Amino acid sequence: MAAFVQRKAQRLARADASRKGGLDERAAAVVQLLNGRSRFCTTSSCSGRLVLAQGGAADAQSCGIQKTNCAWLLVTHETCAKDDVMTALEKATGDAVLKFEPFVLHVLCQELQDAQLLHSVAVNSGFRNSGITVGRGGKIMMAVRSTHCLEVPLSHKGKLMVSEEYMEFLIDVANRKMEENTRRIDSCLLLDSTNAWSWPWKLPPVQTPHLRRWGRATPCTLAGEGGRPFSNKKHTPPQRTTVKNQVLQMMQKPILVFLLNS
């Protein structure tokens, strides 16, 4: 616990190294909420943005990875108009790409159960690409991510490759994605007002008719009191000890825990 407290203090004391040099207004409430709790520490965030970029950013294979030798012709964290994009495209001399990058947040967690709680809140808010990583040094990182990205090439060597009618349609799609992104961020704050962020988070028992007991389907409770999974070993049919069965046995419990906390 002392190591986490020290790590959090060092992290929060650092200067903001982002291009903007500060928090995005829409992400600030979630960031401040988490940093105000002793078991969490945010390390990076972006509230979601529409970017018109050329150069390295346009050539990257995925959102936000390659940022060297690139020019941002337009960046906004709000919805935008077609005229703004068309004006920015006039400055393009290379390959320009319009991107929508949704909300992303990285949070250092004190314990694994804290990361599982945050993962549940994120998934229930619509950020279904969220995940947990554990480093060799014991660092537990929870990443809040979503899948509703958008990336469309618009020009090649400075020449516009799409019609203005398509541009109008594209901007409408991007704006709707931005509005959905805002709704999901607000949903995270709404869950906080209902005490969903308090630990332990009680998970209801999960009923499924798909497990089989000696060849016939029977409903089986997968979660006990408080959401803790259990296994009923006396109903497990004998299995041959093969490499496949050994791998399945090793994978079964982590997957079950992950599903119950998703």
Side-chain angles (χ1 to χ4, degrees):
M1 179 176 180
F4 178 81
V5 172
Q6 182 180 6
R7 190 178 295 145
K8 178 176 180 177
Q10 292 174 348
R11 174 69 66 172
L12 296 181
R14 294 181 185 176
D16 194 316
S18 65
R19 286 194 179 194
K20 186 176 181 179
L23 287 174
D24 297 336
E25 182 178 354
R26 187 163 285 126
V30 177
V31 170
Q32 292 167 1
L33 170 67
L34 288 167
N35 288 332
R37 311 220 170 190
S38 60
R39 309 181 73 87
F40 301 105
C41 174
T42 62
T43 60
S44 65
S45 66
C46 177
S47 65
R49 62 192 179 191
L50 283 166
V51 180
L52 181 64
Q54 74 170 358
D59 297 335
Q61 294 299 316
S62 58
C63 297
I65 291 179
Q66 184 178 346
K67 295 184 179 180
T68 58
N69 301 321
C70 73
W72 287 1
L73 306 177
L74 174 69
V75 182
T76 177
H77 297 275
E78 306 291 339
T79 56
C80 68
K82 186 191 81 169
D83 291 343
D84 296 332
V85 178
M86 297 301 294
T87 300
L89 272 172
E90 293 176 0
K91 299 179 287 185
T93 57
D95 296 351
V97 171
L98 179 69
K99 297 183 180 183
F100 168 72
E101 299 174 348
F103 175 68
V104 62
L105 176 68
H106 293 91
V107 185
L108 196 62
C109 303
Q110 183 173 332
E111 302 289 346
L112 182 58
Q113 64 182 14
D114 303 319
Q116 291 172 334
L117 166 63
L118 186 56
H119 180 270
S120 298
V121 172
V123 170
N124 288 335
S125 298
F127 299 102
R128 303 190 181 280
N129 199 31
S130 300
I132 301 170
T133 58
V134 181
R136 291 183 179 180
K139 286 186 180 180
I140 302 170
M141 188 68 71
M142 165 62 198
V144 180
R145 296 184 299 253
S146 187
T147 57
H148 63 300
C149 297
L150 179 69
E151 183 171 350
V152 182
L154 297 180
S155 69
H156 178 60
K157 296 182 179 180
K159 179 182 178 182
L160 185 64
M161 306 300 292
V162 299
S163 66
E164 289 198 20
E165 182 181 3
Y166 180 75
M167 282 291 301
E168 188 171 351
F169 165 75
L170 187 61
I171 297 303
D172 180 64
V173 171
N175 285 337
R176 282 189 277 115
K177 286 181 177 289
M178 180 65 80
E179 291 168 356
E180 171 63 17
N181 184 69
T182 301
R183 187 196 66 79
R184 295 183 186 187
I185 296 175
D186 292 342
S187 181
C188 283
L189 296 173
L190 180 62
L191 284 173
D192 174 66
S193 67
T194 60
N195 285 329
W197 292 70
S198 60
W199 185 265
W201 198 46
K202 301 295 184 180
L203 291 176
V206 179
Q207 297 287 338
T208 174
H210 303 298
L211 295 185
R212 293 185 175 272
R213 177 176 177 268
W214 296 101
R216 71 198 162 100
T218 55
C220 177
T221 299
L222 294 183
E225 184 179 355
R228 292 183 294 275
F230 66 89
S231 61
N232 194 348
K233 293 185 178 179
K234 68 179 182 179
H235 295 314
T236 302
Q239 294 182 338
R240 293 178 57 191
T241 304
T242 63
V243 174
K244 178 180 178 181
N245 288 338
Q246 289 175 350
V247 172
L248 290 175
Q249 288 172 2
M250 287 188 295
M251 292 177 64
Q252 184 177 10
K253 185 175 179 180
I255 290 175
L256 182 60
V257 173
F258 177 81
L259 289 174
L260 289 172
N261 288 278
S262 297

